Amino acid sequence: MAERYSSFAPGGTAWLLQRVTAAFLIVVLAFHFFQLHFLTHAWEIEFAGTQARMENVGYAAAMILFLWAAAFHGVNGVYNALVNQGLSGTPKKVVLAVLVLAGFGLVAQGTYVALVMGGFV
């Protein structure tokens, strides 16, 4: 019988954060869909409305945390999927470096845009 292999060590920090970010993403994504697809319809979304929503500190914080959680969850998930497929050695280190740099770049740019849109910067 084939053995199950996972690069996540059960009970490890990465394992826990993957689950916590998944739960957080489900809740915030549901809020996001409700807010922007049911309360506000696609044809009503305008730049000024986005700015107005982002000026609310709670909303801006939720969207920034949403971005950070999604970036971590995605980068960590892709990395561990590749490790589970047998990635090792130097390619593993290179992939990790590229994913971490891309994740930090995404988070930095997205956070900056959110802060500017909310008038915090």
Side-chain angles (χ1 to χ4, degrees):
M1 179 172 11
E3 288 186 39
R4 181 185 167 284
Y5 171 76
S6 175
S7 57
F8 284 114
T13 304
W15 178 88
L16 177 63
L17 287 174
Q18 192 71 7
R19 272 91 187 139
V20 169
T21 56
F24 179 76
L25 290 172
I26 289 169
V27 171
V28 178
L29 187 61
F31 166 76
H32 177 81
F33 267 94
F34 182 74
Q35 176 73 30
L36 296 176
H37 296 277
F38 295 108
L39 292 180
T40 307
H41 296 47
W43 62 87
E44 297 171 323
I45 295 175
E46 299 174 343
F47 187 77
T50 301
Q51 278 186 310
R53 282 189 302 278
M54 291 303 289
E55 287 173 356
N56 180 315
V57 175
Y59 184 87
M63 291 303 106
I64 290 170
L65 287 174
F66 184 41
L67 169 67
W68 292 353
F72 172 81
H73 189 82
V75 166
N76 194 41
V78 167
Y79 175 72
N80 279 289
L82 292 171
V83 169
N84 288 343
Q85 292 298 314
L87 186 67
S88 62
T90 302
K92 179 180 173 182
K93 292 177 184 175
V94 170
V95 166
L96 178 60
V98 169
L99 287 172
V100 168
L101 287 173
F104 277 127
L106 172 71
V107 166
Q109 179 65 26
T111 301
Y112 177 72
V113 168
L115 293 174
V116 169
M117 295 220 30
F120 302 110
V121 176

